[in-house]
Amino acid sequence: MRVQGQIDFSITERSDERVIAEMPIISGIKNPFGTVHAGAILWFADVAATVLAMNSDSASEGMKGFPLAISLNANLLGNQKEGTFRAVSLFVKKGKSVSVVRTVVSGTDGKLIADVTTSHVLSQ
């Protein structure tokens, strides 16, 4: 059995205190039920949170200080079959070595899709 998919989203806003991203719902991220796969929602939220935790740095392979996720808590509260998801990531705690980020994913008309909290530690 072969499973294949794709994910595509954009960071639309980035500051020291907030990241906003948007992800169109396309066939490559849907489950057999026709809604967005939970893994795609979590990936979307985690990347938005990681971009926030990186501050203004750009990711590069093997970089020092990359904010590795060490904990992820997710409440999946809704879903949809078409449209766009929006993720807003804000710091709960911005630390020197460990940061905690809350990302809220919403759908059409602001419908709550997921509330995700991630903890990140800076790589050495």
Side-chain angles (χ1 to χ4, degrees), residues 29-95:
I29 62 171
K30 292 182 181 181
N31 60 30
F33 186 64
T35 58
V36 179
H37 188 282
I41 296 170
L42 294 178
W43 184 3
F44 178 48
D46 177 58
V47 171
T50 300
V51 169
L52 178 63
M54 283 177 32
N55 294 314
S56 61
D57 296 336
S58 294
S60 61
E61 189 174 338
M63 70 179 279
K64 290 188 180 209
F66 182 80
L68 298 168
I70 57 172
S71 175
L72 185 147
N73 181 331
N75 291 296
L76 300 167
L77 304 165
N79 211 323
Q80 61 191 52
K81 295 182 177 192
E82 57 188 28
T84 303
F85 283 165
R86 181 176 193 253
V88 178
S89 297
L90 301 166
F91 282 109
V92 173
K93 177 189 184 282
K94 186 175 183 178

